[in-house]
Amino acid sequence: MNFLSELASPIAVDVYRNRRERVLAALRAQGGGVAIVSTAPEVMRNRDTDYPFRHDSYFYYLTGFTEPEATLVLNANARDGEPASILFCREKNAERETWEGFRFGPEAARDAFGLDAAHPIAALDEQVPRLIADQPALFYSLGTSAEIDAQVRGWLAAVRAQGRSGVRAPSKALHLLPIIDEMRLVKDAHEVAIMRRAASISAEAHLRAMRACRPGMREYEIEAELLYTFRRHGAQAPAYGSIVAAGANACVLHYPAGNAIARDGDLILIDAACELDGYASDITRTFPASGRFTPAQRELYDIVLAAQAAAIGATRAGASFDAPHQAAVKVLSQGLLDTGIIDKTKVGSVDDVIAERAYMRFYMHRTGHWIGMDVHDAGEYREADGPRDEEGARPWRRLAAGNMLTVEPGLYVRAAEDVPERYWNIGIRIEDDALVTATGCELLTREVPVAADEIEALMRESASN
């Protein structure tokens, strides 16, 4: 079943229809009003060539519709017989479809995606002022785009121009996205199924890259193995720019795959994954180009792996979002002391390392983030209110069953006079995608090994074939 046919299937249509109903219910709970959600704009790359189009995640979450030039309007105050969900999209156009491909058109889109009504996108500026007139509130992505803010001001001005006729503009403009963020934080069965498949494809890509890697290859050659596997198994695109970092490049957190040569004795850090049907996966593995870790590399690798195990153990419903990070930091900090990378004579104990944040020189990012439609997905990490800590921060939110997050500790040791030379220029990160359950978490990305012995065995096997 291809992507378009799946979107038009009854099961998928019900998923998006139910999400829209939940948003409408949330608007009614706040006194009613109209919500407007537009998809992403097309962006020109150069002259008459556009960047590959990717829909807006919020718009897609509520519609399943992937064409550009589209807007969804939800009317929580629609009377009986009036449409509550209205799509504006491109009309059918035989000439443009010859150049650009299939378009649903308003009528077919309405039926295929389970909407109440649909109109041509060209009618948006005419229809929206009518739809928001006399409404108590207008909900949209407030302040996220100068273009959208300007468009909304134009619609409001058009309504206010009718003031002498007794027509009133909404008295409130409210931010819509936090309502949808809370929904997106808990994945439904439809989402989990897609993310399992995305994780499986990404794991297969990492396995292929490990098997293909040999000293003398360039980073972009290894990246090609990943991209080939993503597309071969039906993923539409990488979920983010692939990181393929050889040797010291692994100490650069967002290093893009370049032309550096993987040399004998180097570690290769790959942080790469695919996007499938609108959902991201996110995997990082670190392995030796030659197929065997050096003693120093293995020492640091096992510390990072132990830190990940500790973080995974702390990932469960009811736990603080911060708990996995703190569990990982404790293991990493102890490891930095045990190896002498942090001098015990200067920082006495693991508690001192954590209190003084001395570990941040070698571990400067957090241990996880939400993942879903976006690789760094929507949703707050802290509670909306509650007692603030000594730094003035709100409490961390509690994990809930159905949350999806990454677990990704690392160590990045650059060459420095105060660091033992055997550890210089070693960068290691291990990352998996975790689905939170009532009793713990399920890792979706473990089809690719993490244990050092298993990685070495995999690479020995591929070298012998």
Side-chain angles (χ1 to χ4, degrees):
M1 181 181 291
N2 66 33
F3 191 26
L4 287 178
S5 63
E6 186 213 352
L7 291 178
S9 72
I11 294 174
V13 168
D14 286 344
V15 166
Y16 300 112
R17 183 186 288 116
N18 290 341
R19 291 173 184 169
R20 293 193 295 270
E21 288 298 330
R22 289 176 64 191
V23 172
L24 286 165
L27 300 187
R28 294 183 188 112
Q30 296 190 36
V34 168
I36 300 175
V37 187
S38 295
T39 197
E42 294 178 288
V43 179
M44 184 170 287
R45 183 177 185 272
N46 55 5
R47 292 182 66 84
D48 63 348
T49 302
D50 290 338
Y51 283 102
F53 177 74
R54 201 271 187 184
H55 52 262
D56 174 79
S57 294
Y58 290 99
F59 176 84
Y60 178 78
Y61 184 77
L62 297 177
T63 64
F65 192 67
T66 60
E67 292 182 20
E69 295 185 85
T71 294
L72 173 68
V73 178
L74 297 175
N75 184 359
N77 291 356
R79 294 187 287 269
D80 289 344
E82 291 183 340
S85 60
I86 306 165
L87 178 70
F88 292 83
C89 65
R90 301 182 303 185
E91 293 188 87
K92 295 291 288 182
N93 185 315
E95 180 181 358
R96 294 317 308 167
E97 288 182 64
T98 298
W99 289 89
E100 298 164 355
F102 173 80
R103 296 181 179 187
F104 273 95
E107 185 175 342
R110 178 198 64 207
D111 296 339
F113 296 91
L115 295 139
D116 297 333
H119 303 290
I121 190 67
L124 185 69
D125 287 339
E126 174 190 349
Q127 292 290 328
V128 168
R130 179 183 65 81
L131 291 166
I132 66 175
D134 295 321
Q135 293 284 355
L138 174 61
F139 295 80
Y140 76 104
S141 53
L142 184 67
T144 62
S145 161
E147 291 77 11
I148 292 174
D149 286 342
Q151 196 173 31
V152 169
R153 285 197 298 271
W155 294 330
L156 291 172
V159 178
R160 292 183 183 118
Q162 304 173 61
R164 292 186 179 181
S165 302
V167 177
R168 298 182 62 184
S171 60
K172 295 183 291 185
L174 301 172
H175 196 27
L176 173 66
L177 302 191
I179 294 172
I180 308 175
D181 287 347
E182 287 301 305
M183 293 170 55
R184 286 175 60 181
L185 270 174
V186 178
K187 273 49 180 181
D188 58 35
H190 176 78
E191 294 176 291
V192 172
I194 297 173
M195 293 186 72
R196 285 188 195 282
R197 177 62 181 152
S200 184
I201 293 170
S202 297
E204 178 61 31
H206 276 261
L207 289 170
R208 183 182 179 92
M210 284 183 184
R211 291 177 177 130
C213 183
R214 300 288 186 276
M217 290 182 72
R218 294 188 183 273
E219 292 163 337
Y220 62 74
E221 294 180 86
I222 301 171
E223 180 190 25
E225 303 290 340
L226 300 161
L227 300 179
Y228 167 79
T229 308
F230 296 162
R231 291 297 287 142
R232 180 174 179 270
H233 291 286
Q236 287 81 19
Y240 50 94
S242 299
I243 297 168
V244 181
N249 293 335
C251 294
V252 179
L253 297 184
H254 290 167
Y255 176 85
N259 63 358
I261 295 172
R263 304 188 185 281
D264 192 8
D266 280 351
L267 288 181
I268 310 298
L269 187 155
I270 297 179
D271 186 341
C274 71
E275 179 180 293
L276 176 70
D277 295 356
Y279 286 84
S281 49
D282 193 359
I283 303 177
T284 306
R285 292 293 186 269
T286 309
F287 58 92
S290 62
R292 189 170 183 82
F293 292 92
T294 68
Q297 290 169 352
R298 177 65 182 264
E299 193 176 2
L300 294 189
Y301 187 90
D302 286 346
I303 292 169
V304 175
L305 186 59
Q308 195 200 33
I312 291 166
T315 302
R316 62 184 181 278
S320 160
F321 177 85
D322 192 44
H325 178 66
Q326 295 303 326
V329 164
K330 187 171 184 178
V331 174
L332 294 172
S333 297
Q334 186 63 60
L336 290 167
L337 285 172
D338 292 344
T339 56
I341 293 173
I342 291 180
D343 190 342
K344 291 182 181 179
T345 64
K346 296 180 180 178
V347 184
S349 69
V350 67
D351 291 338
D352 293 332
V353 172
I354 295 170
E356 297 177 19
R357 299 184 180 180
Y359 64 87
M360 291 189 69
R361 177 180 167 189
F362 309 101
Y363 179 51
M364 58 293 293
H365 59 82
R366 293 195 59 83
T367 303
H369 54 77
W370 304 130
I371 184 170
M373 286 188 164
D374 301 329
V375 67
H376 285 237
D377 207 32
E380 292 288 338
Y381 292 95
R382 293 182 181 271
E383 300 290 351
D385 50 32
R388 296 178 179 262
D389 63 21
E390 58 188 19
E391 295 179 353
R394 291 173 284 123
W396 293 100
R397 77 180 304 147
R398 297 286 167 177
L399 297 174
N403 290 160
M404 193 85 77
L405 67 157
T406 63
V407 186
E408 50 176 308
L411 285 176
Y412 314 92
V413 186
R414 295 175 177 273
E417 290 183 1
D418 61 343
V419 171
E421 187 173 354
R422 64 185 179 278
Y423 301 120
W424 285 6
N425 296 323
I426 295 178
I428 297 167
R429 183 163 64 253
I430 306 171
E431 176 180 22
D432 286 289
D433 300 343
L435 172 63
V436 178
T437 67
T439 57
C441 68
E442 177 190 352
L443 302 180
L444 304 187
T445 44
R446 280 298 176 92
E447 292 176 36
V448 54
V450 292
D453 289 341
E454 293 178 9
I455 290 172
E456 290 182 345
L458 173 73
M459 298 187 73
R460 278 197 306 273
E461 180 183 349
S462 62
S464 64
N465 292 335

